[in-house]
């Protein structure tokens, strides 16, 4: 999962519940920077076990490039409600229809859509249902089909744990398995306060959502050919290392899509938190090209 340095939205951003035809969704909405000409709006979808806060480091640099950014907790993620035990509510098509409802509620179509990891697969499903509300699609650290075998095993362990343990017990078990240097002073979590935020996020997730989307990650079919037939510009962005989808797979997917391909050096599966400035620059450069071509 992405581990943001802070769960506090940046200055100027607003956290609120976005009302849609399919319910309310928790968002962080960051406007264009003062004195900057607006260039567009982007909707940002987080990955498995992630949340809207994963994109906190991107809001300011993208605002300075003229983009309003809206990061959203999906159904059953962190601060967005959802059924506790009904996995059918989290079928991929249901999540995709949620995305279409979010764009409709923003009233700013077309928007640039960006999905991280699982969010990329949900984004793809939304575009395949209806591409008309979107100006472009960026798949960040999100591959053509199911996740790698090693990551499938991790998801299976989580599913097995959720079958017999509470969310709090699973969290404690995850912490016990972390490397000592990560638990002594906060390590990758960024300190004790951040660790509390990460636990709060974990506890906000609905078990049915984790079970359903975990299965999706382990069984997602290759839909690249379908996506390539959609008349949108595509962007495949990743870190220089990724054990969820090997870079060769992401390279091949980009070629099949005719997509712009960006590799962010010094980043792994979460370029948004590993190298946010370079990631934001790559996103804005891609969106600028789309905006300029439409003028």
């Amino acid at each position: 999962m992405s581990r943001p340095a802070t769960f506090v939205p940046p200055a100027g951003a607003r956290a609120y519940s976005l009302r849609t035809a399919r319910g309310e969704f928790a968002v962080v909405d960051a406007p264009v920077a003062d004195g900057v000409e607006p260039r567009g709006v982007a909707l940002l979808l987080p990955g498995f076990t992630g949340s809207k806060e994963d994109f906190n480091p991107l809001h300011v640099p993208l605002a300075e490039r003229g983009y309003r950014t809206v990061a959203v907790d999906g159904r059953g993620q962190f601060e967005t409600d959802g059924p506790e035990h009904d996995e059918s509510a989290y079928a991929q098509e249901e999540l995709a229809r949620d995305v279409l409802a979010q764009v409709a509620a923003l009233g700013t179509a077309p928007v640039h859509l960006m999905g991280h990891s699982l969010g990329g697969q949900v984004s793809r499903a939304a575009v395949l249902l209806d591409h008309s509300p979107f100006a472009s699609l960026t798949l960040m650290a999100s591959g053509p089909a199911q996740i790698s075998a090693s990551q499938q095993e991790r998801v299976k362990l989580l599913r097995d744990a959720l079958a017999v343990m509470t969310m709090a017990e699973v969290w404690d078990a995850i912490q016990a398995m972390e490397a000592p240097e990560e638990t002594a002073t906060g390590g990758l979590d960024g300190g004790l306060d951040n660790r509390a935020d990460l636990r709060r996020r974990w506890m906000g997730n609905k078990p049915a959502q984790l079970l359903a989307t975990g299965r999706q990650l382990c069984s997602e079919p290759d839909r690249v050919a379908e996506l390539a037939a959609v008349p949108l510009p595509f962007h495949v962005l990743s870190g220089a290392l990724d054990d969820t989808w090997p870079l060769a797979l992401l390279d091949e997917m980009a070629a099949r899509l005719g997509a712009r391909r960006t590799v962010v050096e010094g980043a792994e599966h979460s370029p948004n938190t590993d190298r946010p400035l370079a990631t934001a620059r790559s996103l804005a450069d891609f969106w600028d090209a789309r905006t300029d071509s439409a003028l």
Side-chain angles (χ1 to χ4, degrees):
M1 62 179 168
S2 295
R3 301 186 185 212
T6 177
F7 274 59
V8 178
R14 185 165 67 99
Y16 64 94
S17 291
L18 177 68
R19 294 183 178 181
T20 81
R22 291 177 62 85
E24 296 189 3
F25 295 85
V27 302
V28 171
D29 189 337
V32 174
D34 290 343
V36 176
E37 180 183 356
R39 302 280 292 173
V41 178
L43 182 65
L44 314 179
L45 308 187
F48 186 62
T49 74
S51 68
K52 59 192 180 301
E53 287 74 19
D54 295 340
F55 303 116
N56 277 350
L58 300 182
H59 290 302
V60 169
L62 289 172
E64 292 172 348
R65 291 286 296 268
Y67 291 96
R68 173 190 174 193
T69 47
V70 182
V72 59
D73 287 337
R75 185 189 304 204
Q77 277 187 321
F78 191 27
E79 294 180 323
T80 294
D81 200 11
E84 190 89 8
H85 303 294
D86 179 12
E87 291 187 40
S88 68
Y90 304 103
Q92 189 181 79
E93 182 172 333
E94 294 298 317
L95 301 180
R97 293 192 182 280
D98 288 345
V99 175
L100 296 174
Q102 291 155 16
V103 176
L106 290 174
T108 56
V111 305
H112 297 287
L113 183 60
M114 192 271 278
H116 174 227
S117 196
L118 171 71
Q121 297 195 338
V122 174
S123 297
R124 178 171 74 177
V127 166
L128 289 173
L129 279 176
D130 182 4
H131 70 272
S132 64
F134 303 108
S136 71
L137 173 62
T138 296
L139 302 172
M140 184 171 74
S142 186
Q146 62 193 27
I147 57 178
S148 66
S150 63
Q151 290 300 312
Q152 287 187 49
E153 184 59 31
R154 289 171 65 92
V155 171
K156 182 180 183 300
L157 287 172
L158 174 59
R159 292 204 313 262
D160 290 346
L162 287 172
V164 296
M165 301 166 69
T166 66
M167 290 289 287
E169 289 169 340
V170 172
W171 172 261
D172 290 341
I174 291 171
Q175 300 313 294
M177 289 188 293
E178 283 193 348
E181 62 270 20
E182 292 181 15
T183 57
T185 60
L188 291 175
D189 289 345
L192 296 179
D193 288 344
N194 188 259
R195 181 173 293 279
D197 284 329
L198 289 168
R199 184 183 188 279
R200 182 168 59 89
R201 174 170 71 177
W202 170 259
M203 295 300 296
N205 285 305
K206 302 302 183 184
Q209 182 266 128
L210 294 173
L211 291 168
T213 56
R215 288 191 178 90
Q216 290 167 29
L217 285 169
C218 294
S219 61
E220 178 73 1
D222 188 322
R223 305 185 70 187
V224 176
E226 291 178 69
L227 188 61
V230 174
L232 281 181
F234 302 114
H235 185 195
V236 175
L237 184 151
S238 73
L241 294 172
D242 198 317
D243 62 356
T244 305
W245 286 278
L247 259 62
L249 275 180
L250 300 177
D251 293 341
E252 180 189 32
M253 180 177 71
R256 293 168 64 192
L257 289 172
R260 176 179 294 204
R261 177 74 174 105
T262 298
V263 176
V264 179
E265 295 299 328
E268 298 188 15
H269 187 60
S270 297
N272 46 308
T273 53
D274 294 342
R275 292 289 307 279
L277 294 181
T279 299
R281 182 170 59 249
S282 297
L283 289 168
D285 287 348
F286 171 64
W287 295 337
D288 280 354
R290 171 64 180 121
T291 301
D292 292 342
S293 68
L295 295 177

